[in-house]
Amino acid sequence: QVQLVESGGGLVQPGGSLRLSCAPSGSIFSNAMGWYRQTPGKERELVARITSGGSTNYADSVKGRFTISRDNAKNTVNLQMNSLKPEDTAVYYCFLRSPMYTYWGQGTQVTVSS
């Protein structure tokens, strides 16, 4: 069973930066990888997505502040988050969509607070 290993969450002040990373525990082909986030009482929302061909999608709320990238050789995905705001506070979940199944990470907490 493939597992996604996430890293990089934490506490940061408003205006600061964090970098999230995600990698699968084994070799698997992915059509797309990316990040969702969720806060209590709200549905999980897509933050950013990148396909194997390099096409990207971002939530309107993070455009211009977040950048997603991937290393196809290592099958890893990174999310550079700049100019963070308190409303970015959430649990961030990495996902990997393969032809047969979508895998999820365990989630990493991002807290933006002074």
Side-chain angles (χ1 to χ4, degrees), residues 70-91:
R70 66 182 289 170
D71 182 334
N72 285 332
K74 298 180 180 179
N75 222 15
T76 59
V77 64
N78 302 300
L79 184 68
Q80 179 65 42
M81 304 186 293
N82 298 328
S83 302
L84 283 161
K85 304 176 181 179
E87 50 263 43
D88 294 317
T89 296
V91 177

Side-chain angles (χ1 to χ4, degrees), residues 2 11 13 16-17 19-20 22 24 27 29 32-33 39 50 52 70 72 75 82 89 99 108 110 113:
V2 173
L11 172 65
Q13 293 186 345
S17 297
R19 182 179 175 89
L20 304 182
C22 174
S27 177
F29 174 78
M33 297 182 71
T39 55
I50 186 167
S52 58
R70 66 182 289 170
N72 285 332
N75 222 15
N82 298 328
T89 296
T108 184
V110 171
S113 175

Side-chain angles (χ1 to χ4, degrees), residues 4 24 28-30 32-33 75 94-98 101-103:
L4 300 182
I28 183 169
F29 174 78
S30 65
M33 297 182 71
N75 222 15
C94 174
F95 74 91
L96 182 156
R97 193 175 74 235
S98 71
Y101 191 75
T102 297
Y103 299 88

